[in-house]
C-alpha cells in the first residue's frame, strides 16, 4: 500500500532565538535560473514535491518565501576553529537559512543555501558557488546517503548564469545556487561564538533550542551536559560512518560540525580507493590533519570545543566525563557501521570489534579496493579470489549470520558502485565541455540502486 502523501508543515522555530543569532539578508539577483537537479524524493518528505518547475525555480532560484515559514532569509552567526586555529571572522558568508518545516517523522528540517549571494560575513568573497562545486556536492550527498551516512540532502541545484573567477579551477567557470535539506544547521561554532562574547544567557537559550527542537527533550538543570552527551553520541556515529564508507570529508573544522551529527558542507571531499589512513582530500591539508584515519580524532576534538564553549554555563567535571565516552561510542558505532555495510547481524561488542580488527589490517596491507571488498563480502562469504592473507578474516566472517535477502537485489549481480575522483572529474567534464548531463543523472540513478540494495538487505542499525 503506497504511503500517504506528506503534507507541507511550515515552521519558524529559529525565530524564537531572536536577532542575536542571525542577520536578515537577501538573495542575489541571478541573471539566469536553469534547473539542473531537483530532489523529488527529498521534497516528498517535506510536502514540496508537487511544486511546478516554475514554482520550484521561484522558491529555490529566486528565493520567493515559501508560505508559512521564514519571510526573509537568515544568515546565521558563528565562529569556529579552522585547522585548529580559532577564527572569529566567519559566519554564513555565501548561504543562509531559507525555510523550516516538519518532515514525515515530525523532525524540524531546515532548507539552507550555498552560493546564494553575499552576507555580512562574506568578507572578501563573492558569495557564489561554482556549478562544479554544486555538482560535486550532489554526488557526495547521494553517495553518502546510500552508504548509510547521516548527511544533508542536496535538494536543488540551479545554474545561475554568472562567470566566476576561481584560483583553484579553470576560470571563468559556471555558477550555481544549491539548496540543502538538513535536520538543523546549528553548528558547534554557534556555541563558540556565544562563549567568545561571554553571552551566557544566549548559550542557555541555544542549548534549550537544540534540545527542544532537534532532540525532542525539554531542557532541565543538566541541559548543557545532556546536550554534550547527545552530540558526542551523534558525532561518534558520524565518524564511524565516514570510516565504513571510505569517505574523507576534507575540512572537519568546528564550524563544519553540526549538533545533530549530520554531515554537511562538501568542499574538497574524496572517497578513499583503498584503506589508506594517510589519504587526504584537501590539497591544502599539508599536515594531514583531516586524513582518512584521523577523522575520528578530528571530530572528537571538535566535540571538545563544544564542551569548552559550554563552560560558562556548566562545571567542567561532568563535561569532561561525557567527552571521555566518545571512544566507546565510536568503537561500537564503527563495528555496527561495518557490519551494516557487510549485511551481517551484529553479535556482541567484543566479537564485533574483533571482526573489524581482523578485517582492517588486511584491507590496509593488501591495498584492496574498499568498494570492491564490501561488494564481494556482502553477506559474509568472501570469493575464492581472495588469497591466503584473508584466511582469518574469512573464518571470522563465517561466524556471522547474514541478514535476510542477502543478495537478492539485481544490484549484486553487477559491479560495485564507486565514486572515485576520476569518475567525478569525468562527469564534470561532460557537463563543462558538452553540457551533457546524462552521465550525472545516470550516476545518481546507479547510486540510488545501490542504496536500495543495501536498504533491502542490510540489518537495521
Amino acid at each position: 500500500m503506497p504511503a500517504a502523501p506528506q503534507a507541507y508543515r511550515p515552521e519558524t522555530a529559529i525565530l524564537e532565538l531572536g536577532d542575536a543569532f542571525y542577520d536578515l539578508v537577501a538573495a542575489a539577483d541571478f541573471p539566469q535560473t536553469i534547473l539542473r537537479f531537483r530532489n523529488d524524493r527529498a521534497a516528498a518528505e517535506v510536502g514540496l514535491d508537487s511544486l511546478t518547475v516554475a514554482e520550484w525555480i521561484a522558491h529555490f532560484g529566486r528565493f520567493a518565501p515559501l508560505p508559512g515559514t521564514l519571510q526573509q532569509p537568515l544568515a546565521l552567526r558563528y565562529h569556529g576553529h579552522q585547522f585548529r586555529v580559532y577564527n572569529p571572522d566567519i559566519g554564513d558568508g555565501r548561504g543562509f537559512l531559507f525555510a523550516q518545516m516538519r518532515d514525515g517523522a515530525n523532525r524540524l528540517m531546515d532548507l539552507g543555501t550555498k552560493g546564494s549571494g553575499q552576507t555580512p560575513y562574506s568578507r572578501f568573497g563573492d558569495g557564489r558557488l561554482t556549478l562544479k562545486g554544486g555538482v560535486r556536492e550532489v554526488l557526495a550527498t547521494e553517495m553518502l546517503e546510500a552508504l548509510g551516512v547521516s548527511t544533508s540532502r542536496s535538494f536543488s541545484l540551479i545554474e545561475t548564469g554568472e562567470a566566476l573567477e576561481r584560483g583553484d579551477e579553470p576560470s571563468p567557470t559556471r555558477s550555481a545556487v544549491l539548496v540543502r535539506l538538513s535536520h538543523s544547521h546549528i553548528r558547534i561554532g554557534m556555541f563558540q561564538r556565544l562563549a567568545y562574547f561571554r553571552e551566557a544567557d544566549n548559550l542557555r537559550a541555544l542549548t534549550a533550542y537544540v534540545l527542544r527542537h532537534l532532540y525532542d527533550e525539554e531542557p532541565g538543570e543538566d541541559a548543557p551536559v545532556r546536550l554534550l552527551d547527545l552530540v558526542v553520541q551523534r558525532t561518534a556515529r558520524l565518524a564511524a560512518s565516514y570510516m565504513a564508507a571510505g569517505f574523507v570529508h576534507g575540512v572537519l573544522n568546528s564550524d563544519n560540525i553540526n549538533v545533530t551529527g549530520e554531515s554537511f558542507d562538501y568542499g574538497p571531499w574524496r572517497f578513499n580507493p583503498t584503506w589508506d589512513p594517510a589519504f587526504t582530500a584537501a590539497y591544502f591539508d599539508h599536515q594531514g590533519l583531516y586524513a582518512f584515519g584521523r577523522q575520528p580524532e578530528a571530530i572528537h576534538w571538535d566535540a571538545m570545543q563544544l564542551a569548552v564553549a559550554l563552560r560558562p554555563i556548566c562545571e567542567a567535571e561532568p563535561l569532561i566525563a561525557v567527552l571521555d565516552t566518545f571512544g566507546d561510542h565510536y568503537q561500537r558505532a564503527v563495528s555496527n557501521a561495518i557490519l551494516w555495510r557487510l549485511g551481517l547481524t551484529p553479535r556482541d561488542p567484543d566479537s564485533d570489534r574483533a571482526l573489524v580488527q581482523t578485517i582492517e589490517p588486511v584491507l590496509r596491507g593488501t591495498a584492496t579496493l574498499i568498494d570492491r571488498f564490501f561488494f564481494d563480502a556482502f553477506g559474509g562469504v568472501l570469493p575464492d579470489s581472495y588469497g591466503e592473507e584473508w584466511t582469518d578474516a574469512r573464518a571470522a566472517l563465517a561466524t556471522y549470520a547474514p541478514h535476510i535477502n542477502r543478495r537478492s537485489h539485481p544490484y549484486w549481480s553487477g559491479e560495485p558502485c564507486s565514486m572515485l575522483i576520476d569518475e567525478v572529474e569525468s562527469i564534470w567534464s561532460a557537463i563543462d565541455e558538452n553540457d551533457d548531463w546524462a552521465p550525472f543523472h545516470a550516476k545518481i540513478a546507479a547510486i540510488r540502486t545501490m542504496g536500495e540494495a543495501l536498504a533491502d538487505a542490510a540489518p537495521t542499525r
Side-chain angles (χ1 to χ4, degrees):
M1 183 176 179
Q6 171 61 35
Y8 169 66
R9 293 185 292 157
E11 285 275 1
T12 58
I14 192 73
L15 297 180
E16 76 179 41
L17 287 172
D19 58 11
F21 294 82
Y22 48 73
D23 292 87
L24 298 174
V25 293
D29 184 12
F30 299 114
Q32 291 182 302
T33 47
I34 306 169
L35 182 59
R36 296 301 190 182
F37 174 74
R38 166 177 171 153
N39 193 340
D40 275 323
R41 184 168 68 174
E45 295 175 13
V46 290
L48 292 173
D49 52 317
S50 63
L51 293 175
T52 66
V53 171
E55 291 169 334
W56 189 278
I57 290 173
H59 291 305
F60 308 125
R62 297 299 178 188
F63 296 100
L66 286 163
T69 182
L70 306 179
Q71 294 307 291
Q72 189 168 348
L74 309 177
L76 302 182
R77 301 175 181 178
Y78 53 85
H79 290 175
H81 279 87
Q82 299 185 310
F83 287 83
R84 303 283 169 91
V85 177
Y86 193 77
N87 188 349
D89 296 320
I90 53 177
D92 276 339
R94 58 172 174 167
F96 48 62
L97 178 58
F98 173 61
Q100 292 187 302
M101 61 212 62
R102 295 279 170 181
D103 71 2
N106 203 38
R107 297 186 306 163
L108 179 66
M109 305 297 289
D110 289 352
L111 284 175
T113 65
K114 187 175 184 179
S116 50
Q118 291 182 314
T119 77
Y121 309 104
S122 299
R123 293 179 290 171
F124 302 107
D126 60 12
R128 284 1 187 223
L129 171 69
T130 67
L131 181 61
K132 182 178 183 180
V135 165
R136 283 172 44 82
E137 180 143 341
V138 173
L139 293 173
T141 56
E142 289 284 331
M143 191 72 176
L144 289 172
E145 182 185 356
L147 290 174
V149 177
S150 177
T151 178
S152 63
R153 317 272 291 283
S154 296
F155 195 81
S156 172
L157 182 67
I158 291 176
E159 188 169 359
T160 53
E162 295 178 309
L164 304 179
E165 296 291 335
R166 292 292 185 268
D168 56 353
E169 62 178 285
S171 297
T173 189
R174 294 155 73 175
S175 59
V177 63
L178 178 82
V179 177
R180 301 177 176 125
L181 179 67
S182 297
H183 182 39
S184 129
H185 278 73
I186 305 297
R187 310 159 189 251
I188 288 174
M190 287 189 73
F191 288 86
Q192 291 182 277
R193 178 185 173 276
L194 298 173
Y196 181 88
F197 288 118
R198 303 180 185 277
E199 297 179 11
D201 287 344
N202 283 334
L203 271 172
R204 293 187 187 93
L206 186 58
T207 299
Y209 174 89
V210 171
L211 287 171
R212 185 175 294 117
H213 292 292
L214 306 181
Y215 285 105
D216 296 321
E217 293 191 9
E218 281 302 314
E221 292 184 3
D222 65 341
V225 177
R226 180 58 180 154
L227 172 65
L228 183 64
D229 185 29
L230 290 165
V231 173
V232 162
Q233 292 181 52
R234 292 287 186 91
T235 54
R237 196 181 311 158
L238 174 65
S241 66
Y242 279 170
M243 301 304 288
F247 181 72
V248 185
H249 183 281
V251 188
L252 292 173
N253 296 331
S254 61
D255 58 298
N256 284 341
I257 303 294
N258 81 11
V259 294
T260 57
E262 185 180 54
S263 180
F264 75 108
D265 203 11
Y266 301 98
W269 59 268
R270 295 283 190 278
F271 280 91
N272 201 349
T274 62
W275 200 275
D276 176 5
F279 182 85
T280 57
Y283 68 87
F284 46 81
D285 187 3
H286 304 296
Q287 305 303 316
L289 183 64
Y290 299 143
F292 176 63
R294 296 185 68 183
Q295 291 182 119
E297 169 202 340
I299 292 173
H300 185 204
W301 193 90
D302 289 328
M304 290 171 59
Q305 306 321 302
L306 175 59
V308 172
L310 291 170
R311 277 289 289 114
I313 59 172
C314 186
E315 295 298 323
E317 287 78 9
L319 296 173
I320 293 169
V322 170
L323 286 173
D324 287 343
T325 67
F326 185 95
D328 288 340
H329 287 306
Y330 171 76
Q331 289 297 336
R332 285 193 296 273
V334 78
S335 297
N336 287 340
I338 287 175
L339 284 164
W340 179 86
R341 196 168 178 191
L342 287 167
L344 301 176
T345 302
R347 286 168 46 190
D348 60 82
D350 290 341
S351 299
D352 298 344
R353 186 179 303 113
L355 176 67
V356 171
Q357 291 172 345
T358 302
I359 291 171
E360 189 270 342
V362 190
L363 260 182
R364 185 176 68 245
T366 59
T368 301
L369 295 175
I370 292 174
D371 295 320
R372 179 87 254 173
F373 166 74
F374 281 111
F375 183 89
D376 289 344
F378 192 84
V381 179
L382 276 175
D384 293 340
S385 57
Y386 285 72
E388 291 184 0
E389 60 270 39
W390 287 94
T391 299
D392 291 345
R394 178 178 279 106
L397 286 166
T399 66
Y400 277 79
H403 197 60
I404 58 172
N405 301 325
R406 181 167 54 123
R407 296 181 76 101
S408 60
H409 193 282
Y411 169 74
W412 302 110
S413 64
E415 288 294 310
C417 182
S418 297
M419 182 58 73
L420 303 180
I421 186 60
D422 288 347
E423 185 172 9
V424 176
E425 292 296 330
S426 176
I427 290 169
W428 169 246
S429 293
I431 294 168
D432 185 40
E433 296 169 11
N434 302 308
D435 208 31
D436 180 6
W437 290 81
F440 171 77
H441 291 295
K443 189 63 184 182
I444 291 171
I447 292 168
R448 291 185 174 186
T449 296
M450 176 184 69
E452 291 168 3
L454 286 168
D456 286 350
T460 301
R461 275 189 265 174

